[in-house]
């Protein structure tokens, strides 16, 4: 897929105020600092589009980016540790979960998992919550700049997930340093967009 245009459009803290337009939407979630905003910049090849920081808790709103004027990417605040108060973290989580549960335009949530560390309960719990709420998601293992260093953690995570899930969700391996995985994620989004445009149910194929 070629990204012709990628523009920040708006930020919200209330899902009810989010844009009413019915275009396919793809959201990015994961622990603070896992690389959500970086991945959006990598996918769009726009370095400063989504704001990045070393300090966990940079993204604090539901941020919309319009791609090719045809579909939206949505950058969300992280869960887990963030450099802010407990009250703020709870507020972010509340409006983020409301958005994920209620947003009709949402086609898929990419759940980002840090490929450099062991499986974390906070990620497994969040995936469980998505499953319980019937929210479609796929996994993205981030920070795979050196695949030899992440391979074991990724296998470990998949095995842990299979202790409670019957099958693995679609998953991707990415690095915002080497751009690995970029084409795969864009191809996946393209496939879903096409299916929507042609009214095809991918799950029944
Ligand atoms: P919050 O908005 O705070 O929840 O964080 P985020 O998940 O949006 O993470 P962000 O994209 O801001 O990146 C956090 C830090 O990780 C930054 O210092 C990035 O440069 C770094 N980072 C992101 N992706 C990668 C990657 O693929 N490889 C490496 N080595 N560092 C990365
Ligand atoms: Mg961010």
């Amino acid at each position: 897929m070629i990204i012709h245009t990628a523009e920040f459009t708006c930020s919200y803290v209330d899902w009810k105020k989010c844009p009413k337009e019915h275009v396919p939407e793809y959201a990015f979630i994961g622990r603070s600092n896992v690389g959500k905003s970086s991945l959006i910049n990598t996918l769009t090849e726009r370095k400063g589009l989504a704001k990045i920081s070393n300090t966990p808790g940079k993204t604090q709103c539901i941020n919309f980016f319009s791609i090719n004027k045809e579909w939206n990417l949505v950058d969300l605040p992280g869960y887990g540790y963030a450099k802010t108060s407990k009250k703020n973290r709870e507020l972010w989580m509340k409006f983020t979960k409301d958005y994920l549960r209620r947003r009709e335009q949402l086609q898929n949530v990419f759940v980002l998992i840090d490929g450099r560390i062991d499986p974390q309960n906070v990620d497994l719990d969040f995936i469980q919550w998505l499953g319980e709420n019937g929210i479609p998601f796929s996994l993205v293992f981030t920070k795979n700049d050196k695949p030899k260093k992440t391979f074991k953690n990724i296998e470990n995570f998949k095995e842990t997930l299979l202790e409670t899930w019957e099958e693995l969700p679609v998953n991707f391996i990415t690095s915002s340093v080497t751009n690995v995985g970029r084409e795969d994620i864009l191809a996946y989004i393209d496939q879903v967009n096409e299916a929507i445009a042609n009214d095809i149910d991918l799950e029944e194929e």
Side-chain angles (χ1 to χ4, degrees):
M1 184 198 304
I2 299 169
I3 308 288
H4 299 288
T5 60
E7 292 151 359
F8 167 74
T9 45
C10 44
S11 290
Y12 298 94
V13 291
D14 181 351
W15 73 273
K16 287 189 201 132
K17 298 200 172 120
C18 291
K20 302 278 179 277
E21 56 175 0
H22 261 266
V23 299
E25 205 159 286
Y26 302 87
F28 293 78
I29 187 100
R31 283 185 320 115
S32 295
N33 224 36
V34 69
K36 301 175 290 293
S37 303
S38 302
L39 182 59
I40 288 180
N41 292 346
T42 298
L43 292 176
T44 55
E45 290 181 309
R46 271 50 170 194
K47 268 198 177 137
L49 188 62
K51 292 204 177 74
I52 290 172
S53 168
N54 267 326
T55 311
K58 179 69 181 170
T59 308
Q60 308 189 356
C61 299
I62 306 169
N63 295 302
F64 283 79
F65 300 91
S66 172
I67 312 300
N68 292 347
K69 302 194 192 306
E70 286 171 354
W71 51 280
N72 287 335
L73 286 180
V74 177
D75 194 11
L76 294 169
Y79 51 74
Y81 176 77
K83 271 218 153 60
T84 186
S85 67
K86 188 164 178 263
K87 206 171 145 209
N88 265 350
R89 280 207 310 271
E90 284 169 2
L91 175 74
W92 298 353
M93 203 66 258
K94 175 159 184 353
F95 70 67
T96 298
K97 282 187 164 176
D98 283 346
Y99 161 82
L100 291 171
R101 275 191 295 134
R102 312 292 284 274
R103 185 76 174 159
E104 282 176 14
Q105 292 90 329
L106 185 62
Q107 302 304 322
N108 188 56
V109 187
F110 291 96
V111 183
L112 275 60
I113 311 286
D114 190 334
R116 301 190 301 195
I117 55 174
D118 285 335
Q120 304 285 305
N121 283 337
V122 70
D123 290 322
L124 295 163
D125 290 348
F126 192 80
I127 289 169
Q128 189 65 26
W129 179 85
L130 287 171
E132 283 164 9
N133 285 277
I135 299 165
F137 68 94
S138 42
L139 301 181
V140 179
F141 295 99
T142 62
K143 305 196 181 184
N144 294 276
D145 318 343
K146 298 188 179 111
K148 272 191 193 155
K149 289 203 171 162
T150 49
F151 177 76
K152 229 177 160 186
N153 292 326
I154 294 173
E155 288 310 301
N156 221 339
F157 194 93
K158 289 180 183 171
E159 276 169 29
T160 309
L161 208 55
L162 285 174
E163 287 169 12
T164 45
W165 287 73
E166 270 178 29
E167 55 183 308
L168 288 174
V170 172
N171 54 87
F172 303 92
I173 293 180
T174 64
S175 163
S176 291
V177 173
T178 65
N179 286 352
V180 67
R182 176 181 181 270
E183 292 294 331
D184 296 337
I185 293 184
L186 287 178
Y188 180 75
I189 291 174
D190 207 19
Q191 192 192 0
V192 177
N193 285 345
E194 282 286 310
I196 294 167
N198 297 308
D199 206 13
I200 298 167
D201 189 340
L202 286 176
E203 293 214 333
E204 283 182 7
E205 278 204 321

